[in-house]
Amino acid sequence: MIYQLSLLMFAISVNGIPMEDFFPFNGTKVCLIDAINGLIHTNNTLDANGRSIDDIASSECNEYRLSPNDDASSQNINIPTTFPFFERRFMNVFINTNGVISFADPVPIFTPEPFPIKDRFMIAPFWADVDIRGTGEVYFYETIDRNLLQSAKRIILRATHQAAGFSRFNPKWMLVATWDKVGYFSSHTDMTNTFQAILVTNGQNSFAIFNYLDDGINWNKGDASTVPAQVGFNFGGEMLQTLTLPGSRMENITDIDGSSNLKNRGQFVFRIDAVAFCDDSIDTLYPYNEGKLCTINTTTGLVYTNSSRKGGRLELLDGVNCTEYKLSPNDDGSSGAIPISVPFTMFQHTHSKIFVNTNGLISFRKPFPQPIPVSFPIDSEEIIAPYWTDIDITNTGSVFFKESLDIQILDRITDDVNVANPRLTAFKAHWAFIVTWENVVRSNKTASSQLQPFTFQAVLTTNGRHSFALFLYQSKQMLVELESATDTCKEVQVGFSAGAHYVNYLSEEELLLKSFNNRSLHQQIKFIFQLDNNAVHQFGCNTKGAVIVHQKFVPITGGGLLTITGACFALLNKTLTCKYEHTLITGIIIGDSNTALCPLPLFNRLGKHVLWLSVDNETYHFHTEVNIVPEIYQVPDVIVTDMSGSVLSNHLLIANRTYNITLRNEIWNDHYEVYTMMYNSPSNEWKNGTNLTQSFKFKPFDKDKVTPTIVSVIRVVTKIMNGFKIEYSSSLFTIITRDDMKKVCQNWMKRDVQKAKMLLSVIPCSCTLADAESNSLFEDDIKCTSQETHPYWSNLNCKTNTGAYKCVISKSTMYNGAGQQCCYDSNGVLITNSTGRGTIHKTSVHADNYISHFEDDYFPYLICCPDSCDVYYKRRQTDNCFDYIS
């Protein structure tokens, strides 16, 4: 059988694709293959040090090139996976100088033969008499690099228009072979050809991509050939499968760089396997209703885990206890404000929160419960409406939503946007917000006709510069209903509204980038809208603006690496400077990826810190926010143990005792650098302290002096590369000179000076937990919370408030820096006279300097309780709620 794939041949004056659209070649660690004996030279020079491929470590060569030759081939290249080529699977491949990739055997033949050829298995991007003794190079490499595989996938998706099953093709391995400026026999250099062949597979399905440089095909045969080049492929098994491109073995084959079976001149894509794509791989909605699901009460705004009886606040649960949320049963309800970790731009406005509304729309400024839709635009509102209608989920249906940085989801979104418009090839999604209305129904009180339950989805995405909304519908009948609604009363509205920018479905189609998969009644419908002011023709890498940080929370002790995406870092200078307020640290950009890493310093205060990034050490091109939390919320990377092996858990190190250091996620290396950082209260700065070894002890202070509290942290430096350091941190600790905690507590009391009128300045406690949870002046104290409300943090187990069920702390700091803590028992009653009670904080948790809170309030509790709690409570009184006004 002759295998044919429909071709779209262009008669055009400008030929080929630009070099920047080629897959990369001639990169780092290029090893030279001797075309005569097959030996490999890692120094890129033919000398006496050649080795066989079996003697070459994989780390020595990233890429190979053939030595100058005529009619030679590479040695047998074993590949780590089987490559399906129609009915057979191959585990090796040959790169042939004469423009051919072959399986089973090399192909040194310089004059092309017509296809089919029995017992030949070859892919021929340009089979002709190539001679690189005078000019040109032949490069090749195999790769599993995710970015390169995704680039190949997007080309394949454009070629197939995401036909059934193809959108689920996820390549696992790729071979890139490039013939760069190659001459022809006999050693001619007056004309050269540049072309490329890429083989891609997921282990079951395979594709070949051919690239031809713009005006890069200039000769068609060598001096010893009577027949011009041939382009195509040949499977010479029992069932012959071949393809010969028009122009092959003819003089005008040099016009191949102006032809295509795609819209890109000089590029071809062929499927070359015999395995059917499964029908069940047709596009579905993006994943939802998975992971840690929590419910938001649309009346109170409180969040409940699956097992909780009492709700918590969203800002403390996001991404920790809950990876996804659903709305409680309601009619015309809303989620309330959902804080998002990445600023989302919708034309002229940038938003940091989102409202998910039951009635099929997303809003940014306020809840939008209105059941009856109106035509866009709507003044002073930014609204995204995948299906705005009167939806009632009181008895049936659910509304799910989540924020996602999942690589697979982001890659799929990137593919969808790029396939929708090939001009957007530089766009790469780095953040997504996915809302799913599942099996919802129209309300009986407004709908003129009742539909069966229906499901649809909205996906918001951004790369920090460009923003998109994707609308997905599982039933075409929904849009049929929409079209009929536009002719009568307006029961359904689809589109978006943002001031002068708006789309009413079926009335502003010029803003609709693409609709596809519109195949049958039961198959999915998808629309993609651009939601920013940057014109489509200006699409490119995000070289300035907001970027995305992947860690939800960062401990105040810092340490480790912050992962950042959202910009095309790979196209910029590899130098990276990370600026945390006034602290400058050298970062690093990972290879050719678009991921940056910034080491985390020690911080002073909690809350959001702005991080600025520079790629030239002068201009800070990018920015993001880092959310700093108390270090006790997370397990430290540097573990301190005593001689018995017990882990330090009370933040107290006793002088003259020996302690050991280990790393949580690494095996200890004696070359690691260890030192302390000590906090200087007067200047509010961290300063270098003492150098340590893995086993260490601290010298005692003068026993006759009242020693100050010195808050410290141990830092371990594991790597230093070109100024880039990777450091890890221990928990905060302080050094005491005696084992007798009563004496240490009395020592603290002597030097503790209570702030004037501290009692009069703080917010009074609510008498009941219910009032406290509804009081906007307070928030949950993560140090003391319940398993039901905060299972992730519950391991802290109210250590500083033993016996309490839950505590809250004041959100704001008083003029003198003080704060309030209120604790409640399991009945929700304020505790005023036991060890579980809350206290006034001399320095609020939310003060500009959290370390001072640790020094002034947390450390004293550790040394005074339980033996001398009465001393502690004399200095840190408990509010009795007498002054509380509900």
Side-chain angles (χ1 to χ4, degrees):
M1 179 178 74
I2 306 300
Y3 183 87
Q4 293 292 344
L5 187 68
S6 61
L7 301 178
L8 181 60
M9 310 300 290
F10 294 96
I12 46 184
S13 58
V14 179
N15 299 331
I17 64 174
M19 181 57 73
E20 55 264 30
D21 288 347
F22 270 51
F23 281 81
F25 64 92
N26 191 17
T28 59
K29 295 184 181 180
V30 178
C31 295
L32 182 65
I33 296 181
D34 190 325
I36 304 301
N37 57 31
L39 295 180
I40 298 175
H41 300 259
T42 56
N43 58 4
N44 212 15
T45 302
L46 291 177
D47 55 21
N49 298 319
R51 291 177 286 167
S52 71
I53 192 168
D54 295 332
D55 296 329
I56 299 292
S58 59
S59 61
E60 294 184 80
C61 303
N62 292 338
E63 188 174 5
Y64 301 90
R65 72 177 179 93
L66 297 180
S67 66
N69 74 85
D70 177 41
D71 302 335
S73 303
S74 71
Q75 77 280 27
N76 185 1
I77 302 167
N78 294 318
I79 58 179
T81 184
T82 59
F83 187 85
F85 188 34
F86 293 100
E87 283 80 16
R88 288 184 58 177
R89 290 175 172 268
F90 294 94
M91 297 189 68
N92 53 34
V93 65
F94 296 86
I95 308 300
N96 303 275
T97 300
N98 288 328
V100 170
I101 298 174
S102 60
F103 303 96
D105 299 295
V107 179
I109 302 169
F110 57 84
T111 298
E113 302 172 8
F115 296 152
I117 305 173
K118 187 68 173 174
D119 297 327
R120 285 281 186 194
F121 306 91
M122 56 194 294
I123 295 167
F126 201 84
W127 183 13
D129 196 357
V130 176
D131 188 340
I132 58 172
R133 291 174 298 180
T135 185
E137 308 285 357
V138 178
Y139 299 94
F140 64 92
Y141 62 92
E142 54 182 322
T143 182
I144 58 173
D145 180 85
R146 189 177 65 85
N147 288 325
L148 293 177
L149 292 174
Q150 289 299 313
S151 295
K153 176 181 176 179
R154 285 191 282 273
I155 293 172
I156 292 167
L157 291 182
R158 292 189 204 104
T160 59
H161 304 291
Q162 287 202 341
F166 284 81
S167 63
R168 291 294 179 162
F169 174 71
N170 289 308
K172 305 298 183 184
W173 175 88
M174 183 167 72
L175 174 75
V176 179
T178 307
W179 288 258
D180 182 36
K181 300 182 183 65
V182 295
Y184 59 101
F185 185 81
S186 168
S187 299
H188 289 295
T189 61
D190 58 323
M191 293 183 292
T192 63
N193 288 352
T194 298
F195 55 95
Q196 192 175 64
I198 301 96
L199 305 187
V200 190
T201 184
N202 63 358
Q204 296 294 324
N205 304 110
S206 303
F207 292 86
I209 302 171
F210 293 172
N211 289 331
Y212 300 93
L213 184 65
D214 184 5
D215 288 328
I217 304 299
N218 300 292
W219 60 264
N220 60 27
K221 62 178 181 293
D223 292 349
S225 301
T226 58
V227 178
Q230 172 145 303
V231 177
F233 54 78
N234 183 86
F235 177 83
E238 292 185 7
M239 297 292 294
L240 293 174
Q241 306 275 9
T242 69
L243 175 70
T244 301
L245 265 64
S248 291
R249 296 169 53 83
M250 300 175 64
E251 295 295 330
N252 67 347
I253 191 61
T254 52
D255 294 334
I256 190 69
D257 57 352
S259 304
S260 180
N261 63 350
L262 304 172
K263 292 182 179 180
N264 293 338
R265 298 179 292 270
Q267 189 172 70
F268 295 84
V269 176
F270 307 103
R271 182 179 168 194
I272 53 175
D273 65 80
V275 179
F277 280 93
C278 298
D279 289 340
D280 61 3
S281 62
I282 292 175
D283 271 344
T284 58
L285 299 177
Y286 283 86
Y288 69 96
N289 191 13
E290 57 185 16
K292 299 177 182 178
L293 183 66
C294 296
T295 300
I296 293 184
N297 186 310
T298 56
T299 302
T300 64
L302 294 178
V303 181
Y304 297 79
T305 62
N306 284 334
S307 61
S308 67
R309 290 181 286 110
K310 297 194 176 189
R313 289 183 172 86
L314 178 63
E315 62 268 24
L316 295 176
L317 291 165
D318 191 24
V320 180
N321 293 283
C322 311
T323 58
E324 189 167 7
Y325 303 88
K326 65 181 293 188
L327 299 184
S328 62
N330 73 87
D331 183 24
D332 303 335
S334 173
S335 64
I338 309 298
I340 55 178
S341 61
V342 174
F344 184 80
T345 299
M346 189 171 178
F347 297 103
Q348 66 268 32
H349 296 291
T350 299
H351 303 279
S352 60
K353 62 181 182 295
I354 287 175
F355 297 83
V356 176
N357 302 279
T358 301
N359 290 325
L361 70 160
I362 298 167
S363 54
F364 294 93
R365 295 184 180 274
K366 63 182 181 182
F368 217 85
Q370 182 173 327
I372 306 300
V374 296
S375 294
F376 296 147
I378 300 176
D379 291 340
S380 302
E381 296 291 347
E382 283 84 47
I383 292 174
I384 295 173
Y387 204 79
W388 182 8
T389 191
D390 189 3
I391 294 174
D392 187 346
I393 60 169
T394 303
N395 298 312
T396 185
S398 300
V399 179
F400 301 91
F401 62 91
K402 66 179 177 181
E403 192 177 52
S404 179
L405 296 174
D406 181 85
I407 293 297
Q408 291 184 336
I409 289 176
L410 296 177
D411 282 344
R412 181 178 162 191
I413 292 172
T414 298
D415 293 338
D416 280 347
V417 173
N418 289 334
V419 170
N421 193 321
R423 289 176 293 175
L424 312 186
T425 53
F427 174 81
K428 183 173 178 61
H430 287 281
W431 172 88
F433 191 85
I434 302 171
V435 187
T436 308
W437 289 261
E438 181 190 54
N439 293 327
V440 297
V441 296
R442 303 265 298 280
S443 173
N444 289 325
K445 65 180 183 290
T446 58
S448 59
S449 61
Q450 180 62 52
L451 293 176
Q452 293 297 315
F454 52 92
T455 298
F456 60 98
Q457 196 173 66
V459 179
L460 308 186
T461 188
T462 183
N463 67 351
R465 178 184 179 191
H466 303 291
S467 304
F468 290 88
L470 290 72
F471 296 171
L472 300 92
Y473 307 90
Q474 281 196 325
S475 170
K476 185 178 179 181
Q477 183 61 37
M478 292 178 64
L479 299 189
V480 172
E481 171 74 11
L482 170 64
E483 293 185 39
S484 64
T486 60
D487 297 329
T488 57
C489 60
K490 192 73 171 180
E491 295 181 348
V492 182
Q493 169 80 325
V494 172
F496 61 81
S497 178
H501 305 275
Y502 62 93
V503 164
N504 285 314
Y505 182 71
L506 299 178
S507 64
E508 295 285 346
E509 294 185 1
E510 70 273 10
L511 291 180
L512 190 64
L513 288 182
K514 182 81 174 181
S515 67
F516 50 94
N517 289 349
N518 191 357
R519 296 190 295 273
S520 73
L521 181 65
H522 300 294
Q523 291 176 340
Q524 184 189 70
I525 313 299
K526 186 184 302 180
F527 299 101
I528 300 178
F529 301 91
Q530 185 187 358
L531 298 177
D532 62 82
N533 275 322
N534 297 302
V536 170
H537 70 272
Q538 294 176 344
F539 267 80
C541 290
N542 181 19
T543 55
K544 62 181 180 179
V547 290
I548 296 161
V549 61
H550 283 236
Q551 284 89 330
K552 288 281 186 183
F553 303 105
V554 171
I556 197 166
T557 49
L561 298 173
L562 193 68
T563 303
I564 302 161
T565 58
C568 289
F569 291 116
L571 299 182
L572 305 171
N573 192 320
K574 298 298 182 184
T575 301
L576 182 69
T577 302
C578 311
K579 180 180 178 182
Y580 301 89
E581 296 186 341
H582 303 297
T583 303
L584 299 181
I585 298 180
T586 299
I588 192 170
I589 297 169
I590 302 176
D592 292 327
S593 74
N594 290 318
T595 300
L597 300 176
C598 285
L600 286 160
L602 291 160
F603 297 90
N604 293 343
R605 63 175 179 84
L606 304 180
K608 292 186 176 180
H609 290 237
V610 177
L611 167 62
W612 295 91
L613 302 175
S614 172
V615 293
D616 60 9
N617 289 325
E618 294 181 2
T619 304
Y620 286 90
H621 311 76
F622 306 103
H623 59 86
T624 187
E625 289 185 329
V626 184
N627 193 11
I628 307 301
V629 298
E631 48 86 34
I632 59 174
Y633 297 177
Q634 299 192 8
V635 178
D637 292 309
V638 177
I639 309 296
V640 180
T641 59
D642 60 22
M643 293 305 293
S644 68
S646 299
V647 176
L648 175 72
S649 59
N650 63 356
H651 304 273
L652 301 175
L653 291 179
I654 299 174
N656 272 340
R657 281 194 181 181
T658 300
Y659 297 92
N660 290 317
I661 302 170
T662 57
L663 292 180
R664 182 162 58 98
N665 295 317
E666 289 191 28
I667 298 175
W668 186 264
N669 186 314
D670 289 337
H671 296 293
Y672 290 165
E673 175 187 344
V674 186
Y675 67 99
T676 61
M677 292 291 289
M678 306 178 74
Y679 184 70
N680 185 282
S681 296
S683 63
N684 292 339
E685 292 179 329
W686 288 97
K687 296 185 178 295
N688 287 334
T690 308
N691 290 330
L692 302 176
T693 58
Q694 185 183 14
S695 181
F696 69 92
K697 65 173 63 174
F698 288 107
K699 294 180 180 179
F701 297 108
D702 188 336
K703 64 180 181 179
D704 296 326
K705 293 182 179 180
V706 177
T707 57
T709 302
I710 301 178
V711 180
S712 304
V713 67
I714 295 173
R715 300 277 283 188
V716 176
V717 183
T718 60
K719 291 181 182 179
I720 303 178
M721 301 178 297
N722 299 324
F724 175 73
K725 290 185 178 182
I726 300 178
E727 300 191 26
Y728 297 102
S729 287
S730 70
S731 297
L732 295 173
F733 67 89
T734 189
I735 303 165
I736 59 176
T737 57
R738 302 181 180 90
D739 293 355
D740 186 343
M741 291 299 180
K742 285 186 178 180
K743 291 182 179 178
V744 177
C745 179
Q746 291 169 0
N747 190 345
W748 162 75
M749 188 175 179
K750 291 177 183 178
R751 67 175 185 270
D752 180 62
V753 179
Q754 197 172 39
K755 294 179 181 178
K757 300 181 180 179
M758 188 166 69
L759 277 172
L760 300 177
S761 66
V762 295
I763 304 168
C765 290
S766 303
C767 295
T768 66
L769 178 59
D771 284 345
E773 289 181 326
S774 61
N775 190 334
S776 62
L777 298 178
F778 286 88
E779 65 184 13
D780 294 350
D781 182 355
I782 299 295
K783 295 193 301 297
C784 186
T785 187
S786 67
Q787 172 68 28
E788 294 174 342
T789 310
H790 297 282
Y792 183 86
W793 304 123
S794 62
N795 62 314
L796 299 173
N797 199 27
C798 296
K799 290 179 181 178
T800 57
N801 302 91
T802 305
Y805 170 76
K806 185 176 181 179
C807 297
V808 297
I809 53 176
S810 55
K811 283 185 177 181
S812 58
T813 301
M814 299 301 102
Y815 70 90
N816 59 3
Q820 179 71 276
Q821 181 196 42
C822 314
C823 295
Y824 301 84
D825 62 22
S826 58
N827 295 317
V829 177
L830 180 70
I831 302 172
T832 59
N833 57 3
S834 73
T835 55
R837 64 186 185 260
T839 64
I840 291 173
H841 290 157
K842 181 176 180 179
T843 303
S844 168
V845 173
H846 296 289
D848 286 341
N849 199 321
Y850 170 79
I851 308 302
S852 293
H853 166 71
F854 183 93
E855 183 178 76
D856 291 339
D857 299 290
Y858 189 60
F859 167 75
Y861 180 87
L862 294 174
I863 59 174
C864 293
C865 288
D867 296 335
S868 305
C869 280
D870 55 334
V871 174
Y872 175 74
Y873 289 125
K874 285 180 181 178
R875 291 292 188 181
R876 302 291 181 267
Q877 293 91 342
T878 299
D879 188 81
N880 54 23
C881 83
F882 291 165
D883 296 326
Y884 174 71
I885 301 175
S886 60

